[in-house]
Amino acid sequence: MSPPDAAGPADAAAGPAQEPEPALARGADRALVAAARHSAGRTAAVLGCTLAAAAAALAEPAVLGRTLDLLLRADPSGPAWTLLCAAVIAAEVALDAAAARLTGEVDGRSTALLRRLGLARLLGTAPHHAARHAPGESAARLTAHAAEAGKVPTAVAHGVAALLPPLGAVAALFLIDPWTALTFLLGLPLLVLLLRAFTRDTLTSVSRYQQVQLATAGRLVEALAGARTIAAAGTAADRERARILARLPELGAEGRRMWQVYGGTTARSSALMPMLLYAVLAVGGIRLSAGAIGVGELLAALRYAGLAAGVGAVTGALAGVVRGRAAARRTAAVLALPRSATAAPTCRTAGRAPWSCVT
């Protein structure tokens, strides 16, 4: 906590009237659901494109393996399968590009909705309720945090699609050769534990970082509003600068912690995945020498093992959802402000929860 002499009026106003954390969490989730419904068609298109791209990625190893076997046997259908390989790869690239284009559009619409609802609620509440949050905190909640929260709908869509390649790849490994699949599955519990620890640690560090960021932003805006008074006082400038930057070391520590969590997960997954691939390669080579699988099947097995070990895509999607939900809680604190009795309705659903106003 900051020392007593470093606390300003904004800190005192923001402290006692905060919403309970469980209530903010529920409000944030409802706001995110409203944002997803606001762009439901586009969000569904993002999900469809990412799922189709994942399906193309799953088909690619099988098509490559089959093509290699045909070319090694000088089969007349080899050139046709080569064209099929090119078509599958082109489809995957095109679908990924379409998903990226739609993702940016949905993120922008969702962010705009959250900001519009938050600003309407902030302007429609009584002044003493608005004073719960310092001006800098409110600005941060409706800008940076709303933008992060607006990415959640597409992050969920990408996360769902990211599960398809690993699950489909494990099934394909069993179809190619059960022994190679069992070899890969031996390391699967370690991947699950890795993802679980990453999600837990990331949520904690992101929440703390955003909380300190809000406090610092509030003090900065308060100082900017009284810049002339501070300049006239002369010696007060140094004290005000110290007050604004008092929690900067804590902010830096939480930021480094976030990167340490991400870096540690990346390092462990980078060590685990090659070990799994080498194990699959070793068992696949033994099965190839025994005549149980062909060269093309071994190539497909290696590619599928790489897809099944693709924890990076799942980790990235989880990180986006975790960051977005933590940011949504900050924005939901503005949406939770009570509406003034004299305030005009801000949407057709006046009288209902603020996150239901999506028009």
Side-chain angles (χ1 to χ4, degrees), residues 4-43:
D5 59 341
D11 301 289
Q18 295 296 320
E19 292 289 324
E21 193 67 21
L24 285 180
R26 291 191 298 270
D29 290 340
R30 286 193 288 268
L32 293 176
V33 170
R37 290 176 177 173
H38 184 58
S39 300
R42 292 175 175 84
T43 305

Side-chain angles (χ1 to χ4, degrees), residues 197-216:
F198 174 79
T199 304
R200 182 188 64 248
D201 295 342
T202 300
L203 178 60
T204 301
S205 59
V206 168
S207 297
R208 291 175 179 172
Y209 181 89
Q210 291 178 350
Q211 188 175 15
V212 178
Q213 187 183 48
L214 281 177
T216 303

